[in-house]
Amino acid sequence: MNTAARDAGLKLLRQHALIAGEAISANGDGIPVDDPATGKTIGWIPDLGAAETQKAIDAAHDAFADWSRSDPHKRAAFLREWARLIDENTEGLGALMALENGKPFEEAKAEVAYANGFIKWFAGEAERLLGETQDSPLGHVILTFREGVGPCALITPWNFPAAMLTRKLGPAFAAGCTAVVKPASQTPFTAIALAELAYQAGLPKGALSVVTGDAATIGGVLTASPLIRKLSFTGSTPVGRKLAEQCAPTLKRVSMELGGAAPLIVFADADIDLAVTETIKGKFRNSGQTCVCPNRVYVEASVAETYANKLAEAVAKIPVGPAFEDGVKVGPLIEDKAIAKVEEHLKKVQASGGKVLTGGERHALGGRFFQPTVTLGGDDKLFREEETFGPLIPVFPFDSEDEVLAKANDSEFGLASYLFTRDLDRALRIGRRIEAGMCGINTGLMSTAVAPFGGVKSSGYGREGSTHGIDEYLDIKALTLALK
């Protein structure tokens, strides 16, 4: 075990919330946070309520006036300093994330670097908040400005506790917005550590608060407040619907990155070895607990067994274990009910005729560990309707392009999709027709700071990352000048 790395993570662990820079300690009571690999408590966070949330909102509102009017180059300089501090603390942040999330340490460090990419990207975007000039047919000159929308509520999930935070805070700060963050109670310590580094980098204290506690209570105060002008949420579709409904009376700007049931399609002309490698890359990050990982794999019938057998052979070799064990690629699931869900999905695909090619059981390590699993055949209906969120890859043969496109699109979700073929015409044709906000062609990984991230249908709306990501935090103001 890499005990030095684990100790580096513990050094950054802070058992408190942050209200306008003020630490509110858990004092050994509140909400316990455990290590998914052992189930043992690693720390506590305070169970805050409506009063503390309102205090954070008021601080964000008060700080917005100065922060939004500050020189965008000053905000860019702050973001770059924050990024430098994150780079300096990559090992500790990665270890802290591995402790509370369970993902392998090397993967957690990679997430920190990925997360920091958003800070660096939006530091540049802060310096490019370009307006426009236009002559009016009325003889006027119209000047347009892009201005921060106001104080923001940012609600982040447990599966990517660093990246989902920076993907929201980067553009918010670049635009001149202030923020109240509600991290998931399973993984709050990464968010708190990142916020502490932001303060060290020079962020005004009122510009950022991290509120911990009951999600419904805190979310209710955030959505009801007229002072909060923007809400960004990453999480489940049912919760997203409820939050959007709660935001309606105050007409907040809302962006949602919600559930997915991503299809991955492999045509007979594809590079099968590449498809296998990329399927594994896309599926087993965070032990399959990602909203964009392949949830259902469709393979042209003539190569379905070849692909599935190669996939099973490779998956059987994936090292499973605790986060700090050398060489581990798949860690535990986040909680006990996640294991139960994988088992339920596995039983249903088997009941419909699917056969297990590898895995299929709880891992010998016990606890929240599950064997990486591949099945072939059966009914795909369940996997169109619901995310497994675990290390299970169901493979289904198909016969025609029209058939597989119909199956891929027969879902309320439309976040990510994947396509493997050597035929450029087919790649573009299917890529355009598939109902998803993103399509990876001959790759299982496509998210970077420069790529727009988001979905359609019940997977939400709005985009994060890329040049479009900052627009979610900006209003357009037009000044009309009557010139003589």
Side-chain angles (χ1 to χ4, degrees):
M1 176 181 288
N2 191 337
T3 55
R6 191 176 188 278
D7 290 344
L10 290 172
K11 287 180 181 178
L12 292 179
L13 193 154
R14 300 289 183 271
Q15 298 183 68
H16 58 232
L18 293 160
I19 307 298
E22 176 187 350
I24 300 179
S25 176
N27 293 319
D29 191 15
I31 301 172
V33 180
D34 70 20
D35 175 354
T38 63
K40 295 180 179 178
T41 298
I42 61 173
W44 298 76
I45 50 171
D47 187 5
L48 303 182
E52 294 88 354
T53 304
Q54 186 59 52
K55 184 177 179 181
I57 292 170
D58 291 340
H61 173 71
D62 293 343
F64 176 72
D66 288 338
W67 182 245
S68 62
R69 289 195 294 264
S70 64
D71 182 350
H73 296 86
K74 176 183 176 182
R75 299 199 295 267
F78 150 71
L79 287 168
R80 292 192 176 98
E81 176 62 12
W82 189 20
R84 186 188 68 79
L85 292 173
I86 293 172
D87 278 337
E88 284 186 358
N89 288 274
T90 293
E91 180 147 320
L93 289 166
L96 181 59
M97 189 193 310
L99 278 167
E100 64 179 352
N101 174 276
K103 66 178 61 180
F105 174 50
E106 292 300 323
E107 182 182 335
K109 285 197 299 182
E111 183 187 330
V112 174
Y114 166 63
N116 208 10
F118 290 98
I119 303 299
K120 295 171 182 177
W121 171 261
F122 285 108
E125 290 298 289
E127 297 172 331
R128 292 187 288 272
L129 295 176
L130 305 178
E132 301 169 337
T133 63
Q134 185 174 346
D135 291 324
S136 163
L138 300 177
H140 304 150
V141 173
I142 302 170
L143 308 178
T144 60
F145 299 86
R146 300 162 77 198
E147 299 181 343
V149 67
C152 301
L154 310 178
I155 302 177
T156 59
W158 53 262
N159 57 343
F160 289 91
M164 298 304 96
L165 181 67
T166 60
R167 204 159 71 181
K168 299 177 191 300
L169 278 179
F173 288 150
C177 296
T178 54
V180 178
V181 171
K182 168 60 178 77
S185 293
Q186 297 97 324
T187 58
F189 294 130
T190 301
I192 294 165
L194 286 167
E196 294 278 16
L197 292 177
Y199 297 147
Q200 289 181 37
L203 184 71
K205 301 297 186 182
L208 174 61
S209 292
V210 180
V211 185
T212 61
D214 178 67
T217 300
I218 293 171
V221 176
L222 292 172
T223 53
S225 174
L227 299 181
I228 295 292
R229 298 310 312 149
K230 155 79 182 181
L231 180 136
S232 178
F233 171 72
T234 298
S236 73
T237 296
V239 174
R241 287 193 178 105
K242 184 174 183 179
L243 289 171
E245 180 181 351
Q246 291 174 343
C247 286
T250 52
L251 295 177
K252 290 178 182 22
R253 178 86 66 84
V254 177
S255 56
M256 297 278 176
E257 193 259 285
L258 307 176
L264 185 149
I265 303 170
V266 181
F267 285 96
D269 70 334
D271 181 332
I272 300 300
D273 290 333
L274 173 68
V276 166
T277 299
E278 294 299 314
T279 300
I280 291 172
K281 285 182 184 178
K283 179 62 185 183
F284 290 106
R285 284 183 305 143
N286 200 29
S287 304
Q289 300 171 115
T290 79
C291 54
V292 295
C293 69
N295 201 57
R296 49 202 167 109
V297 176
Y298 300 106
V299 186
E300 197 161 1
S302 62
V303 296
E305 286 197 12
T306 300
Y307 167 90
N309 288 331
K310 286 189 173 188
L311 180 65
E313 182 181 358
V315 167
K317 298 175 183 177
I318 296 175
V320 178
F324 297 100
E325 293 292 337
D326 291 339
V328 164
K329 298 297 182 184
V330 170
L333 300 189
I334 190 70
E335 55 193 1
D336 293 337
K337 67 181 181 180
I339 289 280
K341 187 176 184 182
V342 175
E343 290 180 321
E344 176 194 353
H345 282 205
L346 181 59
K347 287 178 181 177
K348 288 184 177 180
V349 76
Q350 287 179 285
S352 69
K355 57 182 180 180
V356 175
L357 300 185
T358 189
E361 298 178 350
R362 296 192 181 213
H363 198 275
L365 289 167
R368 300 173 192 172
F369 292 92
F370 198 90
Q371 295 175 344
T373 301
V374 178
T375 64
L376 175 61
D379 190 351
D380 71 321
K381 184 174 185 292
L382 170 66
F383 300 93
R384 286 183 267 128
E385 297 176 343
E386 188 177 334
E387 290 178 290
T388 302
F389 241 57
L392 165 62
I393 304 179
V395 179
F396 307 99
F398 73 88
D399 293 312
S400 71
E401 185 177 300
D402 287 341
E403 175 197 355
V404 74
L405 191 60
K407 287 184 175 181
N409 289 339
D410 187 16
S411 172
E412 71 168 303
F413 301 106
L415 186 57
S417 60
Y418 304 88
L419 170 63
F420 290 84
T421 178
R422 288 188 173 99
D423 185 332
L424 178 60
D425 182 65
R426 172 183 281 156
L428 293 174
R429 182 172 65 250
I430 300 296
R432 292 295 301 273
R433 291 178 63 192
I434 206 162
E435 294 172 358
M438 301 171 285
C439 183
I441 298 174
N442 294 325
T443 181
L445 299 176
M446 54 186 168
S447 179
T448 73
V450 305
F453 189 103
V456 298
K457 301 194 290 188
S458 291
S459 290
Y461 42 81
R463 292 297 180 266
E464 294 185 317
S466 81
T467 56
H468 303 286
I470 198 168
D471 291 337
E472 302 289 334
Y473 297 88
L474 293 167
D475 280 331
I476 303 297
K477 177 178 284 185
L479 301 186
T480 298
L481 283 67
L483 303 180
K484 295 183 179 180

